[in-house]
Each structure stands twice: as C-alpha cells, then as structure tokens.
Amino acid sequence: MVDAFGKAGIEGRMKLAKLDFLLRYPDRFTTLVELRAPGIAAGENPWLTGAIEQRMIRYRYGPWDPAYYGLLGALIGKGLITTRQRGSVATYAVTPAGHQLTKALAATDSWESVRERARLLHRHFNLTGTSLKDLIYETFPDIVNADWGTHL
C-alpha cells in the first residue's frame, strides 16, 4: 500500500493504520467510498474468502494492529521501505527495491484487487491521520463505542 502513495509516502503511523483498516475491512471501505465519492466503484473485495485474516483492535486513536512495529521494522530492515522523521512523526516511503517487489506482486492476479484498492485509497483518502480517524469515528460509531483492546 505504501507504494501507491508514491515518493511522498505515508505520513505517520496513525494514517498508515487507518488506511490499513480500510484495506482490511472492505465493507467499511465501501461505505466510506459511497459517502466521499458517490458513483465511484469500490472495486472487488481483495480478500477472496471474505474473512479478515488478522483483526485489528480498538485503541486510543481507533483501529490498530500491534504487529505494525514488527512489520515496519522488518520492511525497513529488508530495505523495502524507508522512514523520514520530522519531529515525532515518521513518514514511510517505498525504496526502489520495495517498488520493484510491489510491481512484481501487483502484476499477479491474486494481488491485482489489492493494488486497485490501494490506488483508490490514495485517490480518495489521502488525508491526515487525524482526519481519517475522525472520518472513521463519525461514520462508524460502533468503533468509538468499542472498549479498548476489543477486536474489530
């Protein structure tokens, strides 16, 4: 998904988490696309089984996955993404090696719908992390009302 945001990358873990939430939860994504861009097709569900492999939890700023720290560290360690730090906010951008891998994956049938979903995220949801959190909270009160640590 980071590759879909080009050289500018994705600013902040909060934004990354909210975009990941919309990628993982196709029904929520479809609802928000209908609200923000009426008439735009949300595309196919990228998850063939319809099941969410690893559910996110409700955390302080909305949907979160504790695996982000390890996953981001692994991607950085393998040279697939890089970070730029400005104050307390890290921006995650794909490296040339990461772009090549993303391009190879995107060319496969099984990743085509994920690539398309990531492009739609960039086109219609390239907001700040806080704006995405607010949009999710306004649209899905069940997330706001969930107890911290509850699986979504």
Side-chain angles (χ1 to χ4, degrees):
M1 173 174 53
V2 176
D3 192 51
F5 285 76
K7 292 182 183 194
I10 296 175
E11 186 176 328
R13 281 190 304 266
M14 185 189 308
K15 180 175 181 173
L16 182 67
K18 301 320 163 242
L19 293 169
D20 182 41
F21 170 75
L22 294 174
L23 185 65
R24 283 194 211 189
Y25 292 78
D27 294 344
R28 307 288 186 139
F29 175 80
T30 300
T31 299
L32 284 181
V33 166
E34 290 170 358
L35 290 172
R36 286 189 58 81
I40 299 295
E44 290 182 33
N45 180 340
W47 317 122
L48 300 176
T49 65
I52 297 165
E53 183 176 315
Q54 184 171 341
R55 293 197 160 292
M56 299 177 83
I57 61 168
R58 160 68 160 96
Y59 191 61
R60 184 175 181 184
Y61 300 109
W64 179 258
D65 187 338
Y68 290 139
Y69 296 113
L71 180 59
L72 290 170
L75 292 171
I76 292 165
K78 292 184 180 294
L80 300 175
I81 65 171
T82 186
T83 61
R84 293 184 310 275
Q85 197 76 27
R86 187 167 29 132
S88 63
V89 178
T91 297
Y92 303 93
V94 72
T95 64
H99 177 69
Q100 289 303 315
L101 179 60
T102 302
K103 205 167 135 181
L105 284 171
T108 66
D109 291 340
S110 60
W111 281 93
E112 182 178 357
S113 59
V114 175
R115 180 193 71 219
E116 291 307 314
R117 180 66 48 99
R119 286 180 180 165
L120 287 170
L121 285 169
H122 180 251
R123 189 173 306 126
H124 299 290
F125 298 97
N126 192 13
L127 309 170
T128 66
T130 300
S131 295
L132 283 169
K133 174 193 63 86
D134 292 345
L135 179 63
I136 289 168
Y137 277 9
E138 290 166 13
T139 310
F140 307 112
D142 61 304
I143 293 173
V144 177
N145 296 326
D147 292 330
W148 280 22
T150 301
H151 283 91
L152 303 175

